[in-house]
Amino acid sequence: EPGGRLVGLTALTYRRVAEDALRRRQAKDVALFDNMLTAFAHLKVVLDKRNRPVDYVFVEVNGAFERAVGEPASAIVGRRFTQVLQGIEASRGDWMGSLGTVALTGETAVFDAFAEPLGRWYSVSIYSSSPGYLTLMLSDISEIKWVQESLAHSRDLYLTLFEGFPTLIWRASPD
């Protein structure tokens, strides 16, 4: 019967090796998630009596999301989207409508929007990771948007001045 014990030890050894490999993989995934520069949140859909999405509860967030919102995960997870980002409905970009569309259709949404509660512009990606859940990713694009707005304002000012100037203006070169 020594052979039976050897098989038992071999099966136990294989299981421990597999569990160790799984723990290492999970630790690596957690490290990647926590150190991402993109703000990442996993949300559970809240439905009304007619099965329409009305809000979303934070299930998990990464460090970049904590920094974007200015609160630790312990103050975010378990709360509703509209509680954590109070006033988001009034922001430029249809945040709630886009989340609802993804929740209902499962289609991915990608758009740029201003988050009024955070005072920042974001490139937003939303997808349904599984029925009843959404994944939200935010990349801060505020600096780019503000430069674009400044350039547009300068262009508009230049055109207004140029078109309203009563004297003939032309550009010449040595040729």
Side-chain angles (χ1 to χ4, degrees):
E1 299 202 327
R5 289 184 187 145
L6 181 61
V7 172
L9 289 175
T10 302
L12 184 58
T13 301
Y14 175 75
R15 182 176 176 182
R16 284 190 181 151
V17 168
E19 287 173 350
D20 287 345
L22 179 59
R23 274 192 285 279
R24 282 192 306 276
R25 178 64 189 177
Q26 287 173 333
K28 182 179 178 184
D29 290 347
V30 167
L32 286 170
F33 178 74
D34 286 342
N35 293 307
M36 287 173 60
L37 296 178
T38 300
F40 181 96
H42 190 62
L43 304 147
K44 184 177 186 345
V45 180
V46 177
L47 302 171
D48 66 9
K49 292 177 184 176
R50 295 182 182 166
N51 283 331
R52 294 178 300 193
V54 291
D55 212 335
Y56 311 87
V57 174
F58 286 95
V59 176
E60 189 173 8
V61 298
N62 70 349
F65 195 89
E66 290 175 311
R67 289 186 295 280
V69 173
E71 294 187 46
S74 60
I76 299 170
V77 172
R79 291 176 57 205
R80 289 181 177 228
F81 188 75
T82 54
Q83 291 172 322
V84 173
L85 298 172
Q86 291 181 0
I88 193 72
E89 303 92 343
S91 298
R92 287 180 267 175
D94 187 14
W95 289 85
M96 299 304 284
S98 296
L99 287 163
T101 299
V102 173
L104 291 172
T105 66
E107 295 178 11
T108 300
V110 178
F111 58 96
D112 293 347
F114 187 76
E116 195 70 42
L118 305 176
R120 311 285 300 168
W121 278 95
Y122 291 95
S123 175
V124 182
S125 298
I126 310 166
Y127 69 92
S128 180
S129 51
S130 60
Y133 291 88
L134 300 175
T135 298
L136 172 70
M137 293 179 288
L138 306 175
S139 295
D140 191 333
I141 58 169
S142 299
E143 302 302 324
I144 294 168
K145 285 292 190 177
W146 293 330
V147 166
Q148 288 174 341
E149 287 176 0
S150 177
L151 288 172
H153 177 71
S154 294
R155 182 197 66 228
D156 292 346
L157 178 63
Y158 171 76
L159 287 174
T160 301
L161 290 172
F162 185 77
E163 289 172 355
F165 200 69
T167 306
L168 178 62
I169 299 173
W170 75 90
R171 184 175 175 183
S173 70
D175 296 336

